[in-house]
Amino acid sequence: MKNIVLVLLLVCIPFSCFSQDTARKDKEQQEMKPSKNDDGEWELTVIDTQFDYFLNAVARPISQYTESYLKTKTHF
């Protein structure tokens, strides 16, 4: 019985590795278009893999920055 299951698994593995013959057609094309919400503000979608890391580890509250540091950052 164990041999039958093993043989079936070994036979099925190559069939699962074949590439897809027909290309998928995505009917839902997702395009990023700028749009304003009801308040007249722009909606912002952040697509960055490290954004959560930045917010949790690097970014500090604005009260921890000195005024001169913020002025030089604004100047740049």
Side-chain angles (χ1 to χ4, degrees):
M1 184 68 181
K2 289 181 184 179
N3 291 337
I4 294 173
V5 173
L6 183 63
V7 169
L8 286 175
L9 286 174
L10 290 176
V11 169
C12 291
I13 289 175
F15 290 111
S16 66
C17 295
F18 288 134
S19 64
Q20 186 176 359
D21 293 335
T22 58
R24 291 184 185 176
K25 294 182 180 179
D26 292 333
K27 294 187 179 192
E28 298 178 18
Q29 292 181 349
Q30 297 178 354
E31 295 181 16
M32 294 182 59
K33 295 180 181 177
S35 61
K36 289 187 177 182
N37 59 11
D38 296 336
D39 298 333
E41 296 177 350
W42 291 96
E43 292 187 16
L44 177 66
T45 304
V46 177
I47 301 177
D48 188 4
T49 58
Q50 296 293 318
F51 185 70
D52 290 331
Y53 168 76
F54 173 77
L55 285 180
N56 294 328
V58 178
R60 296 181 289 177
I62 196 163
S63 61
Q64 291 185 354
Y65 293 108
T66 62
E67 184 178 349
S68 62
Y69 176 79
L70 292 174
K71 284 183 179 180
T72 55
K73 280 293 193 182
T74 303
H75 193 325
F76 282 119

